[in-house]
Amino acid sequence: MSIAPRSHPSEPTNLTDDRWRETHLGRLLGHAMRRFDERVLNLMAGNEGVPLALANLASRDQISAAHVHITRHLALEGSRLTDLCKAAGMSKQAMGDLVDQCAAWGLVERLPDPLDARAKRVAFTPVGLAWLQAFKDAVAQAEAEFKEAVGQDVATVVALGLEAYAH
């Protein structure tokens, strides 16, 4: 089996139409995820179960989709920082900064790890669990809005396709 030779970088290419850069699947998925996360944060800002200080931060865009990584990935029983980083696909330093912010806001706390005296576990506080419930409610609402916007059949196909692609 032979491989076609690559064109030399100085040779002209066939890129006269670059609209594909705006509409390829990766870009559309990125736009959709940002829109979904923004809607979830907006809904959380208005949720009565969210403490007023956190709702205020969310409504002023001080809480971002990056902070949602902790909400999405922190296990209910707590997680080691390294496990949280792996689940969220973030560096230890970036996740450590997010955990520090969320701890300052009262969402999480660092506790001794029962399996390793040298390690710490990050766990939700009671305020963090209220935040998690508001996140669950907001995700359900945003998903319902998505289904209404595109129709139940399309929403089902999208969900099945994304699930298959992600795993």
Side-chain angles (χ1 to χ4, degrees), residues 9 13 34 130 137 145:
T13 61
R34 277 188 297 281
D137 296 344
E145 291 171 3

Side-chain angles (χ1 to χ4, degrees), residues 18-32 34 165:
D18 70 347
R19 289 179 289 184
W20 63 272
R21 295 191 304 171
E22 297 291 323
T23 59
H24 67 82
L25 185 58
R27 187 158 183 152
L28 294 173
L29 287 169
H31 287 315
R34 277 188 297 281
Y165 184 70

Side-chain angles (χ1 to χ4, degrees), residues 14-135:
N14 188 14
L15 292 176
T16 56
D17 181 4
D18 70 347
R19 289 179 289 184
W20 63 272
R21 295 191 304 171
E22 297 291 323
T23 59
H24 67 82
L25 185 58
R27 187 158 183 152
L28 294 173
L29 287 169
H31 287 315
M33 184 171 172
R34 277 188 297 281
R35 179 178 176 182
F36 189 85
D37 285 348
E38 286 172 8
R39 181 63 180 142
V40 166
L41 286 170
N42 183 271
L43 289 166
M44 290 175 75
N47 187 305
E48 292 178 5
V50 173
L52 186 58
L54 290 172
N56 195 9
L57 287 169
S59 68
R60 291 184 294 127
D61 295 328
Q62 299 298 305
I63 297 177
S64 69
H67 296 96
V68 172
H69 283 307
I70 290 176
T71 309
R72 273 192 186 117
H73 300 290
L74 182 58
L76 289 176
E77 67 278 3
S79 303
R80 287 185 178 178
L81 188 66
T82 53
D83 295 333
L84 195 51
C85 294
K86 183 186 279 187
M90 296 175 67
S91 72
K92 190 173 179 180
Q93 181 177 355
M95 182 57 77
D97 291 345
L98 284 176
V99 168
D100 288 344
Q101 282 185 326
C102 289
W105 295 336
L107 293 173
V108 299
E109 59 187 340
R110 286 185 170 91
L111 303 170
D113 189 319
L115 302 176
D116 184 350
R118 300 165 299 163
K120 294 284 185 189
R121 205 170 38 91
V122 178
F124 285 112
T125 63
V127 170
L129 290 173
W131 177 260
L132 183 61
Q133 181 62 52
F135 180 72

